[in-house]
Amino acid sequence: MIQDTLTDAGDDLVLGGEKFSSRLIMGTGGAPSLEVLEQALVASGTELTTVAMRRLDPAARGSVLDVLRGRGIKVLPNTAGCFTAGEAVLTARLAREALETNWVKLEVISDERTLLPDPIETFDAAERLVADGFVVLPYIGDDPALARRLEQAGCAAVMPLGAPIGSGLGIRNPHNIELIVEASGVPVILDAGIGTASDAALAMELGCDAVLLATAVTRARRPDLMAGAMRQAVVAGRMARAAGRIPRRRYAEASSPMTP
Amino acid sequence: MNVTINGTAHELPQGATVALAVRRLTETMSGVAVAVNDEVVSRGAWDSTPLAEADRVEVLTAVQGG
C-alpha cells in the first residue's frame, strides 16, 4: 500500500506521558492582538502553546488563557524573563498554582542583548524543579553535553535553540542539533531562531521531534498564513526524515542508464 | 500597615489577609497566583494568611510570551 502520510501509522509526539498529534508548539509573544493570535494558533494546528507569567495588570482586557482554553490548547507556562535559577523556580511554582499544570518550559537567560540561555542556572533550576515534581522542558544552547546532562537530571525533553530568540536566523549549527538528536532518549524540540517554513522543515529533517516557534508567525505580515505554512513544513520535514534522504554526492549520478 | 503589591505601596488594615491584597487588584481569582516575600501562597490559604508590615506581595497571571 502506498503511504503518503505518517498519520495513518500513528505518529503522535509523546511528551511528559501525553500524546500530541501536532508537532508544532507555538509561543504567543509578539502578536499584535489576541484576535490575530487566535487565528494564527488555529491555522497552526498546535495543541500546546506557551504563555509567560507577569504581574497582573488590572487594566488588561482579554486573556491569552481564555483564547487557549476556548480552543482546547494545552497551556505551557514558561519562565521567560528569569535570570537566575531561584527566579525560575519561583516563577514555575507560581505558574503551577495559577494554571494548574506541573509542566514548565524552563528558560533562564544570561543577558538581554542575546537572550541566550544560561547553562549553569538552567541546570540548577532543572534539578530543583524535577525534584519538586515538575515536567521540565529546558530551553538550552545547541550543546550536546548539556542536553545529555539535563536528560540524566530527569527533564522530559530538551529544547536546543536554532539561533537567538526572535532572530529568524534559522538553524546555525545543524551538526550539533543532529548530535543532540542522536544521543537523546527524550524528545528534542527545536526552539528559537526559526525564520520561515524551510527552517521548521529542516529541524524535523535533522530528526527533531517537534518545533517551537512564535516570532516567525506572530510578526509575519500574515500570521495566519505563516502559521499554516509552519504546520505543513513540520509535517513535510517529519515525512522526509522518515522517508530517508538520498546521500549528497560530489558529481552527478544519472537517473537513467547512459548507455543505449 | 504598609505592604507592597506588585511593586506599588498599599495601605491595608491591620490583620489584612492575602485575599484582601489580591482583591485590591482584581476580583477574578482564576488564573492568578500569589507569592509573599518570594514564597508561593496557595489559593486555599489566601483567606487564612495574614500579611505583616513591609510584606512584598506579588500577584501574577499568564500573559502572551515565549
Side-chain angles (χ1 to χ4, degrees):
Chain A
M1 189 182 82
I2 297 167
Q3 190 185 339
D4 61 2
T5 70
L6 284 167
T7 48
D8 293 341
D11 188 44
D12 288 341
L13 169 67
V14 181
L15 190 58
E18 292 188 29
K19 287 184 177 179
F20 300 89
S21 58
S22 167
R23 291 174 178 270
L24 178 55
I25 304 170
M26 292 291 293
T28 52
S33 71
L34 282 177
E35 291 72 25
V36 169
L37 176 65
E38 182 166 13
Q39 289 169 3
L41 292 176
V42 170
S44 77
T46 188
E47 296 165 334
L48 182 63
T49 293
T50 65
V51 295
M53 299 300 295
R54 289 289 181 276
R55 285 174 169 171
L56 188 145
D57 174 7
R61 290 285 165 268
S63 159
V64 66
L65 272 186
D66 294 339
V67 170
L68 296 182
R69 286 173 174 161
R71 293 292 179 174
I73 299 169
K74 183 178 172 75
V75 178
L76 176 59
N78 66 30
T79 62
C82 293
F83 287 84
T84 67
E87 289 170 10
V89 169
L90 176 59
T91 301
R93 287 176 176 155
L94 284 163
R96 178 170 62 183
E97 177 72 17
L99 308 178
E100 292 161 5
T101 174
N102 64 342
W103 287 40
V104 63
K105 178 194 162 183
L106 175 61
E107 182 176 335
V108 189
I109 54 172
S110 58
D111 67 90
E112 288 190 23
R113 190 171 65 88
T114 67
L115 301 179
L116 287 169
D118 183 316
I120 312 293
E121 298 294 326
T122 300
F123 187 80
D124 182 10
E127 283 191 315
R128 289 155 68 177
L129 290 169
V130 167
D132 199 10
F134 281 88
V135 173
V136 182
L137 314 174
Y139 166 61
I140 58 172
D142 53 11
D143 179 350
L146 179 61
R148 188 168 59 241
R149 291 290 297 267
L150 285 163
E151 178 184 344
Q152 289 166 353
C155 290
V158 289
M159 308 182 72
L161 56 69
I165 292 168
S167 68
L169 289 171
I171 300 174
R172 302 312 299 163
N173 194 340
H175 180 67
N176 270 21
I177 298 298
E178 282 185 305
L179 287 178
I180 292 171
V181 166
E182 275 175 34
S184 186
V186 293
V188 177
I189 302 167
L190 197 289
D191 183 5
I194 299 290
T196 188
S198 52
D199 297 330
L202 176 60
M204 299 305 290
E205 290 169 17
L206 293 172
C208 292
D209 296 281
V211 172
L212 194 160
L213 58 90
T215 312
V217 163
T218 57
R219 295 206 201 281
R221 195 170 63 247
R222 284 275 311 275
D224 56 341
L225 203 52
M226 186 60 88
M230 293 299 185
R231 175 187 199 154
Q232 297 194 43
V234 167
V235 171
R238 178 77 179 169
M239 288 170 66
R241 170 75 177 187
R245 189 198 197 293
I246 61 163
R248 290 180 174 84
R249 292 178 192 278
R250 188 167 173 81
Y251 300 106
E253 184 180 74
S255 56
S256 50
M258 297 291 277
T259 47
Chain B
M1 67 183 166
N2 294 298
V3 300
T4 306
I5 306 174
N6 282 358
T8 304
H10 285 256
E11 171 98 31
L12 295 182
Q14 284 299 326
T17 61
V18 169
L20 185 73
V22 173
R23 280 198 297 272
R24 282 290 173 97
L25 297 187
T26 181
E27 291 295 330
T28 309
M29 301 292 166
S30 95
V32 174
V34 177
V36 177
N37 304 331
D38 295 335
E39 291 290 333
V40 177
V41 179
S42 63
R43 184 182 312 275
W46 288 358
D47 279 321
S48 57
T49 303
L51 293 170
E53 178 72 25
D55 273 352
R56 288 176 295 109
V57 183
E58 293 286 332
V59 184
L60 273 72
T61 192
V63 299
Q64 286 176 245

